[in-house]
Amino acid sequence: MEFQYVAFSVAIIILLGLFFRNIFNRFKLPGLLGMLILGIIIGPYCLNLIDKAILNISGDLRVIALIIILLRAGFGIHMESLRKVGMSAIKMSFIPDVIEGLTVTFVAHYLLGLPIIEAGMLGFIIAAVSPAVIVPQMLSFIKRRMGTKKGIPLIILTGASVDDVVSITIFSIFLGIYGGQQLNYLMTVVSIPIQFIFGILFGLVIALLLIYLFKHFSIRNTEKTLIILASAILLKNLGDVLSSIVPIAALVGVMVIGFVILERMPEIGMEISDKLDKIWIFAEILLFVLVGAQVNIYLAASYALIGVTIILIGLMARSAGVYISLMGSNLNLKEKIFCILAYTPKATVQAAIGAIPLSMGVASGQLILAIAVIAILFTAPLGSFAVSLYGEKALEPEK
């Protein structure tokens, strides 16, 4: 009987998730908003239609969804493209994120009274920009060759992908400090570049092993995709296991796997990228419905005003970070404003890691999740509309 109810819950999540996503898309709103709202409706705080067994493993499911996101990002970045956009993309990948994350950390500490470590978790959950909102829009501009002469959509695509990894890595460090894994603040700061280096090295080794495997054995592309996904999940688990011995930004390694395979095996890389896009349809439904189901809507409602205030202050700091990153570039003022708007939507990372503090027993876990969801509901539709409307005016079509 229990199995049947679990199966029923999965069926409800898939069918209604697709329905809500398509309804919101029809009204030119991000489909992820529909899935998030659905999760709130059918979750334990409303209709309670989701089996507890699914909610118990929702953290693992969200991690898998995050890995799929980062693999897709890795398979979407070409070395030639990186060379073209150069330093602008590099600066956009970390300066806005760090400035916003630190700003939200201190604002949340003073306005909410959160201890600085818990405020830091919130800061870098909120800081990440959303590839789920940004990527489709930037690909649309690239397809229509709008802003491509200066590589503007490419700068945003590349910067946003790495931005997420930076945010998740720093969030993980705050979570580690909370759990007592790292108590030396100086060593914590020094460990950040070390984590990135080890993450890149581990990702490179796994990518080269997979390339050797694919070149010497006849494996269907669907099976290759599953092998890559499984390898990325194992890398993430390895990073967790070794975190107390060797700091590894395993999620950076996940992106590196996609990037290296695409560079060494471009045709196969493109086909795998297409298959990951299809897997993402299912993963996206699970991610946003399940995170919606875990939100205490009464707590979220009581903190809505102060939550929006913190998010707005963070966005102002991020906007300053974007402007700083683009100083010295060949972009005009309109194009810089477009980049600022494109860096406002929140969704994917907030859904993927917003509930982790709650699941890890962090004292303010419920509040952190509530504000993460407020950030999605507030910024995703506004950012999407702003990018769509302003992009048509600011980006010049390449002739």
Side-chain angles (χ1 to χ4, degrees), residues 226-299:
L226 294 175
I227 290 170
I228 290 168
L229 178 56
S231 300
I233 293 169
L234 288 174
L235 173 58
K236 173 65 173 68
N237 288 337
L238 180 65
D240 293 339
V241 170
L242 297 178
S243 61
S244 60
I245 305 168
V246 180
I248 301 171
L251 295 173
V252 177
V254 169
M255 278 187 63
V256 169
I257 291 172
F259 176 76
V260 173
I261 291 175
L262 182 65
E263 285 301 308
R264 296 294 183 91
M265 308 173 75
E267 290 184 11
I268 291 174
M270 293 301 293
E271 291 180 19
I272 290 171
S273 179
D274 290 339
K275 292 189 182 296
L276 284 170
D277 288 346
K278 293 170 185 175
I279 294 174
W280 170 242
I281 294 171
F282 177 61
E284 182 184 37
I285 294 170
L286 286 179
L287 174 62
F288 287 101
V289 172
L290 289 177
V291 79
Q294 291 199 290
V295 177
N296 183 331
I297 54 173
Y298 308 107
L299 181 67

Side-chain angles (χ1 to χ4, degrees), residues 105-120:
T105 296
F106 289 109
V107 172
H109 175 61
Y110 287 106
L111 291 187
L112 296 174
L114 293 180
I116 197 71
I117 301 303
E118 294 173 46

Side-chain angles (χ1 to χ4, degrees), residues 63-92:
V63 169
I64 292 170
L66 180 61
I67 287 169
I68 294 169
I69 294 166
L70 295 174
L71 279 175
R72 290 175 69 218
F75 276 103
I77 300 172
H78 297 263
M79 180 63 77
E80 184 181 340
S81 303
L82 280 177
R83 291 195 190 101
K84 182 179 178 182
V85 296
M87 281 303 297
S88 294
I90 293 171
K91 289 187 286 185
M92 286 280 279

Side-chain angles (χ1 to χ4, degrees), residues 5-15 49-51 54 282 286:
Y5 191 61
V6 170
F8 170 78
S9 298
V10 173
I12 288 292
I13 289 170
I14 293 171
L15 292 173
L49 296 179
I50 302 177
D51 191 273
I54 295 176
F282 177 61
L286 286 179

Side-chain angles (χ1 to χ4, degrees), residues 77-227:
I77 300 172
H78 297 263
M79 180 63 77
E80 184 181 340
S81 303
L82 280 177
R83 291 195 190 101
K84 182 179 178 182
V85 296
M87 281 303 297
S88 294
I90 293 171
K91 289 187 286 185
M92 286 280 279
S93 69
F94 71 93
I95 293 176
D97 183 272
V98 172
I99 290 176
E100 181 182 12
L102 291 176
T103 300
V104 172
T105 296
F106 289 109
V107 172
H109 175 61
Y110 287 106
L111 291 187
L112 296 174
L114 293 180
I116 197 71
I117 301 303
E118 294 173 46
M121 292 182 212
L122 175 62
F124 284 93
I125 287 173
I126 297 299
V129 71
S130 172
V133 177
I134 298 267
V135 170
Q137 291 183 307
M138 293 307 114
L139 291 178
S140 172
F141 286 125
I142 290 171
K143 188 176 181 181
R144 291 181 288 147
R145 302 183 68 80
M146 296 187 67
T148 50
K149 188 175 181 180
K150 295 182 181 179
I152 297 169
L154 199 57
I155 290 172
I156 294 166
L157 270 180
T158 308
S161 299
V162 182
D163 173 285
D164 289 349
V165 179
V166 171
S167 214
I168 293 163
T169 302
I170 299 176
F171 160 77
S172 301
I173 290 169
F174 275 110
L175 191 64
I177 295 170
Y178 183 89
Q181 294 174 19
Q182 301 178 36
L183 300 175
N184 187 315
Y185 288 88
L186 178 61
M187 287 303 297
T188 298
V189 173
V190 172
S191 76
I192 295 175
I194 296 172
Q195 289 192 47
F196 272 81
I197 291 168
F198 275 114
I200 291 168
L201 288 176
F202 273 78
L204 179 62
V205 169
I206 290 175
L208 293 175
L209 288 173
L210 290 174
I211 290 167
Y212 178 85
L213 179 69
F214 297 157
K215 285 184 175 179
H216 290 81
F217 296 92
S218 179
I219 303 173
R220 293 168 53 199
N221 286 332
T222 301
E223 292 172 336
K224 288 173 184 168
T225 306
L226 294 175
I227 290 170

